[in-house]
Amino acid sequence: MSTKDYLEKDYYKVLGVSKTASKDEIKSSYRKLARENHPDANTGDAKAEDRFKEISEAYNVLSDEKRRKEYDEARSMFGGSYRPGGAGPGGFDMSDIFGQGSGGGGAPGGERLSDLFGGLFGNRGRGGTATRSRRGADIETETTLSFREAADGVTRSFQLSSESPCLTCKGTGARAGTAPRMCPKCSGTGHESTNLGGFSLSDPCSECKGRGLVVDDPCPTCTGSGRGKSTRTIQTRIPAGVSDGQRIRIKGKGAPGENGGPNGDLYVVVHVKGHPVFGRSGDNVTITVPVTFPEAALGAEVRVPTLSGFPVTVKVPPGTQNGHTLRVRGKGATRKDGTIGNMLVTFEVDVPKTLNGDAREALEKFRAATSDYDPRDGLEARAKGA
């Protein structure tokens, strides 16, 4: 998080809470907003995705007691607002606060404000080198599941390649026997001052790219970056009930962090194969079961297969219409809370393509016996009245 972010962004406003909101109030508001704007619930909506990122960023700061205190202290110096192009309170140069000034804006007793707030945004204190921690990168991979695996959940192994500290130089970026030196441009802070026409803001140093260190004799393996490629295999549980195209976040399983920073996250995009018999409707499993005309008209009991492999007997009510659906409880996909969804059984009346003599004779008698019943009665009138 940069200094500029802290000054420009009103995280309390993003989450819709007051500055005195409790941790529970912040969490409750975050959960509500995150559900409304989650990418899985707003497929293809770029604005919702940006809003979700903004909400997550605000929550990451305000839910952490230390980061929230730093954020509040930074904004309190400007009355809770930031307007580019204007001087800070009292007309002092902002560079004095962020460690890039050359006098002026001193604190009482001769101390510079940069010494008072030097650790506020992760910079070094006076006289040391930068040890800025960095979060590891997020990694995305894909996996393909069978219909049954997606419904019940499965444990999968993933071979992941990502950046990690270089094994040759142990992450320093320098050749063996040498060491990096403090960046002369930013004096090891990893930041340099940017003039905004009235005051200055701290940005990553253009010389050392924010590391605070310069490598004169680069490591031959990583060419001075301090980073290398690592390959590792992890096992993770794909939860039950995932759907085709769903993107699952597995926290902390991404690329390793730098200088003690947290690992990134792993995102798994799930592809689900179709099934020749079953389908999905949310947490429900669907199946279409053919029935004969006599079964639909007179009623019957039919055996219906289930995902578990054990068929169930379902009653076909007399007078069942083509496309009628019954619910069989507890025979669907596993939900996120561990409970089981339902199976939706849709009956499809199957009409035989050929009839033998006895069957034809029986149907002719049936037609004669039901000649007073016209299923299309009133159809034309309804069509004209529409």
Side-chain angles (χ1 to χ4, degrees):
M1 193 65 58
S2 70
T3 302
K4 189 175 180 181
D5 285 334
Y6 272 171
L7 298 180
E8 286 185 327
K9 298 179 179 180
D10 188 342
Y11 292 138
Y12 292 103
K13 185 176 180 180
V14 170
L15 293 182
V17 298
S18 69
K19 294 181 181 179
T20 58
S22 66
K23 292 184 71 173
D24 288 341
E25 289 174 326
I26 290 171
K27 181 185 290 186
S28 176
S29 179
Y30 164 72
R31 286 180 173 176
K32 177 178 179 294
L33 294 172
R35 281 195 300 268
E36 293 173 355
N37 295 275
H38 197 283
D40 289 346
N42 299 274
T43 306
D45 189 339
K47 289 185 179 180
E49 185 173 352
D50 291 341
R51 174 71 172 150
F52 180 76
K53 291 178 181 177
E54 185 181 35
I55 293 165
S56 299
E57 180 182 311
Y59 180 69
N60 286 339
V61 172
L62 298 185
S63 64
D64 185 290
E65 186 175 340
K66 181 179 178 182
R67 296 182 70 188
R68 182 179 180 181
K69 182 180 178 182
E70 293 175 351
Y71 172 72
D72 289 342
E73 288 175 348
R75 290 178 61 82
S76 69
M77 287 186 282
F78 308 98
S81 63
Y82 160 71
R83 290 180 291 275
F92 57 79
D93 190 334
M94 289 288 292
S95 62
D96 294 329
I97 293 179
F98 303 120
Q100 295 297 322
S102 55
E111 283 189 285
R112 292 176 55 209
L113 288 174
S114 61
D115 297 325
L116 294 177
F117 301 105
L120 192 58
F121 304 109
N123 299 339
R124 67 162 176 85
R126 182 166 29 176
T129 58
T131 56
R132 291 171 53 79
S133 62
R134 295 183 182 180
R135 179 181 180 276
D138 292 336
I139 299 174
E140 184 169 298
T141 188
E142 297 179 307
T143 189
T144 299
L145 308 182
S146 69
F147 186 90
R148 195 180 302 275
E149 288 173 334
D152 297 336
V154 66
T155 299
R156 279 291 169 90
S157 295
F158 296 96
Q159 189 174 47
L160 306 175
S161 295
S162 63
E163 280 195 344
S164 63
C166 173
L167 296 177
T168 302
C169 65
K170 310 302 181 186
T172 67
R175 187 184 295 271
T178 68
R181 58 184 174 86
M182 181 188 296
C183 174
K185 187 167 186 177
C186 67
S187 300
T189 64
H191 287 77
E192 60 183 340
S193 176
T194 301
N195 192 310
L196 294 179
F199 57 84
S200 301
L201 283 181
S202 178
D203 291 310
C205 175
S206 59
E207 179 73 20
C208 64
K209 311 304 181 188
R211 292 190 70 195
L213 303 172
V214 175
V215 177
D216 294 317
D217 193 0
C219 165
T221 302
C222 67
T223 65
S225 69
R227 309 295 285 173
K229 286 288 185 182
S230 67
T231 300
R232 69 191 193 283
T233 300
I234 67 166
Q235 281 195 330
T236 191
R237 181 72 180 173
I238 304 298
V242 294
S243 55
D244 185 51
Q246 186 171 341
R247 192 167 179 255
I248 301 172
R249 173 179 176 245
I250 303 170
K251 188 175 181 181
K253 294 298 184 180
E258 185 177 354
N259 292 329
N263 291 350
D265 298 330
L266 171 64
Y267 289 88
V268 180
V269 179
V270 178
H271 302 287
V272 181
K273 294 179 180 178
H275 194 281
V277 172
F278 298 108
R280 280 277 298 278
S281 176
D283 295 327
N284 298 319
V285 169
T286 62
I287 184 173
T288 299
V289 178
V291 293
T292 66
F293 174 73
E295 288 173 333
L298 302 176
E301 291 186 351
V302 298
R303 283 166 58 89
V304 177
T306 67
L307 270 181
S308 66
F310 300 99
V312 294
T313 299
V314 176
K315 289 186 177 181
V316 182
T320 292
Q321 302 297 306
N322 188 61
H324 178 67
T325 298
L326 290 181
R327 185 186 305 270
V328 180
R329 298 189 180 278
K331 296 299 180 181
T334 304
R335 300 188 179 102
K336 293 180 181 179
D337 61 3
T339 60
I340 307 298
N342 304 315
M343 182 168 67
L344 304 180
V345 181
T346 300
F347 296 116
E348 184 178 78
V349 179
D350 187 80
V351 178
K353 294 182 174 61
T354 58
L355 296 172
N356 61 28
D358 291 340
R360 179 176 291 277
E361 182 179 353
L363 279 178
E364 290 290 355
K365 290 181 179 180
F366 174 81
R367 179 160 59 181
T370 57
S371 59
D372 58 342
Y373 172 68
D374 183 2
R376 294 174 294 281
D377 184 32
L379 179 63
E380 292 185 15
R382 292 196 302 272
K384 291 178 181 178

